[in-house]
Amino acid sequence: MESTYFSILDIIPVFFWAMVILVVALVVRTSKRHLPEYKYYMPNIFMKMFFACAYGAFYIYVYGGGDTTAFYDAAITLNNLFFKSPALYFEQMITTPNPYQFTTFYDTTTGYPPGWIY
């Protein structure tokens, strides 16, 4: 199942949380301004944020994802199953997955979870 990992609804919270992190970092830096090692505090915050985003982009676009993105795809499929039939969703959640019942729960409208995760 091909999924899009970034939409506008995913990007907006990134800017919000980046602002929250930067405001908290500025408060911490100004409260510890008298300590000489805190001159490196803000550059450290910027580098951590940059490399976290770079790692995420590298993971998605170069490696093509992995366990994390497969679990995300499976969660999207389960969400679709819940909206299709809450009873089937709860049955799927409380029973042991059985490959023979795969088509009982999933179809083209819900999508299919990655087989190696299922």
Side-chain angles (χ1 to χ4, degrees), residues 63-113:
Y63 286 148
D67 287 351
T68 304
T69 54
F71 282 119
Y72 178 80
D73 291 338
I76 295 294
T77 303
L78 283 172
N79 287 342
N80 294 339
L81 179 62
F82 179 78
F83 289 120
K84 177 186 171 193
S85 171
L88 284 176
Y89 170 80
F90 286 112
E91 183 181 344
Q92 175 65 43
M93 295 303 290
I94 62 173
T95 60
T96 303
N98 184 350
Y100 301 109
Q101 294 179 330
F102 193 75
T103 55
T104 304
F105 298 107
Y106 305 106
D107 58 18
T108 56
T109 59
T110 61
Y112 297 97

